[in-house]
Amino acid sequence: MAVWLCRAGRNGEHEARFMEDSKVFYTFEEIDKPLSSFSSKKELRDYFTAVCPTMKEKAASAYASQGHVFCREMKPGDWIVTPSKTAPGLIHFAEVSGEYAFNREAEEHYRHARPVRWFADLRRDQFEQDIQFSLGAAITICKIKQEERIKAVVSRSGNGTNCTRFY
């Protein structure tokens, strides 16, 4: 089981929607077709550079890697960690409960989704410093390597001590 950091916008602008819809979203509005229609990260990167000609290649590569992860590498049963911007110091935890889906009719930031089941909110300071640094990564979607230690903290918190909320 992997643990994925999945941010809800630079300023938390998508956080309420993540929670209300029980989904996480790949919020890059430039992609107006299914991520699953791209056979490789390179093909997705080339699409980014075609639809956004002013985008630097390094940025296009980073966005393409995140799209690939969101569509092809995240799996049901994996955990999502979403640091809150609306309640600083709080971390939302969810379990991926389904496959990637594309909805052409949805608002542009919400076309690419994965269903999740939110199960806990914990304070950031419950985690060791290296994990806090990982949770502070600038990238929107990435794998967190300390999954066993994260799972252990969440498990210990499940008894109601040091837990902000379990759903």
Side-chain angles (χ1 to χ4, degrees):
M1 177 214 60
V3 176
W4 303 95
L5 175 68
C6 192
R7 297 195 175 287
R10 179 169 296 193
N11 300 304
E13 60 270 22
H14 306 296
E15 188 173 337
R17 185 74 177 260
F18 275 35
M19 304 302 288
E20 291 165 10
D21 290 2
S22 292
K23 293 180 179 175
V24 290
F25 299 95
Y26 176 78
T27 59
F28 297 88
E29 68 273 12
E30 296 85 0
I31 306 297
D32 62 357
K33 60 185 196 175
L35 293 168
S36 56
S37 68
F38 299 96
S39 62
S40 66
K41 284 189 247 185
K42 180 187 180 316
E43 189 177 329
L44 182 53
R45 183 199 67 212
D46 293 346
Y47 182 84
F48 264 113
T49 57
V51 297
C52 303
T54 59
M55 185 180 287
K56 292 185 165 88
E57 189 162 330
K58 188 173 183 177
S61 290
Y63 297 159
S65 289
Q66 292 173 69
H68 180 80
V69 160
F70 191 82
C71 177
R72 303 206 185 268
E73 293 183 28
M74 282 184 185
K75 303 288 183 222
D78 287 353
W79 282 15
I80 301 292
V81 178
T82 300
S84 178
K85 290 287 190 169
T86 60
L90 195 67
I91 308 293
H92 304 294
F93 289 85
E95 181 177 332
V96 177
S97 59
E99 300 297 332
Y100 163 78
F102 175 75
N103 180 353
R104 187 175 309 285
E105 306 305 315
E107 298 165 67
E108 62 185 9
H109 289 97
Y110 307 113
R111 292 179 183 144
H112 308 277
R114 277 197 169 269
V116 299
R117 181 187 62 79
W118 297 103
F119 65 85
D121 293 338
L122 277 75
R123 290 187 332 272
R124 180 185 181 99
D125 63 10
Q126 290 180 244
F127 296 93
E128 295 175 42
Q129 193 66 49
D130 65 317
I131 294 172
Q132 290 183 43
F133 288 146
S134 293
L135 298 174
I139 197 159
T140 303
I141 299 169
C142 66
K143 189 172 186 179
I144 303 292
K145 296 185 188 317
Q146 304 99 329
E147 62 256 356
E148 292 304 318
R149 291 173 39 226
I150 290 170
K151 287 177 11 184
V153 170
V154 173
S155 177
R156 281 194 307 270
S157 298
N159 64 15
T161 60
N162 295 321
C163 177
T164 302
R165 176 170 65 174
F166 267 79
Y167 299 83

